[in-house]
Amino acid sequence: MEQESLFEYNTQKEKLILPEYGRNVHRMIAYCMTLEDREERNRCAQAIVNVMGSFFPHLRDVEDFKHKLWDHLAIMSDFKLDIDYPYEVIHKESLDDKPEKVSYTNSSMRFRHYGKLLEEMLQKWEEMPEGEERDQLLVYLANHMKKALTTWNKEAVDDEKILNDILEYTHHKVPLTLEQLRLKEVVKESAPRRGKNNGKKAGR
């Protein structure tokens, strides 16, 4: 004959409606529901809400915090606790309401590693009148592309690829050559190494 287990695991117990309050609070609510006197139930419910609030002392000054506690009390009782609620608590039907589906933009990007913003900036560049300001913006964007590409590819980034990508973006309208773009070297940032005397005062 198998010996009966002395331990009862949480997985074997009834599932809690709001687990963050623990099983004892749920038991107190179940007890409160058995009280026949309405005034006694009201006092018991108030005591339970006080216990619930003590779990979150950092939220005491938050607006509508007490209202939420009474909502949670109603939810944990499955809306069967007949008391005089100090607030208009949430309705059971509203718990089944699903939020509206968030719409996402399906706009495609030619090169994801450069990002959508760069693509929009190059479109703005195409609309600008020819001149020095337009050329300077292109140089700035090209250097930004090199930095962005380096984060994806730790190996050496070919400047010619940057120019070819710009040509793809702008339908081959770039008036500058590779030399005129003057792409800067991307310096990889690294933490300075500490030497033996680093952080120590030099001897006099």
Side-chain angles (χ1 to χ4, degrees), residues 98-112:
K98 295 181 179 180
E100 295 182 5
K101 188 176 181 181
V102 179
S103 58
Y104 293 94
T105 55
N106 295 321
S107 59
S108 59
M109 287 185 285
R110 190 168 299 178
F111 301 110
R112 289 187 174 273

Side-chain angles (χ1 to χ4, degrees), residues 130-148:
E130 295 184 6
E132 184 178 354
E133 186 178 357
R134 187 171 186 259
D135 293 344
Q136 287 178 351
L137 176 61
L138 185 62
V139 172
Y140 171 81
L141 294 176
N143 281 285
H144 176 76
M145 290 171 65
K146 185 170 184 178
K147 290 180 182 179

Side-chain angles (χ1 to χ4, degrees), residues 46 82 97 120 180 193:
Q46 180 64 64
D82 184 17
D97 293 342
E120 293 174 355
Q180 290 173 308
R193 295 182 179 180

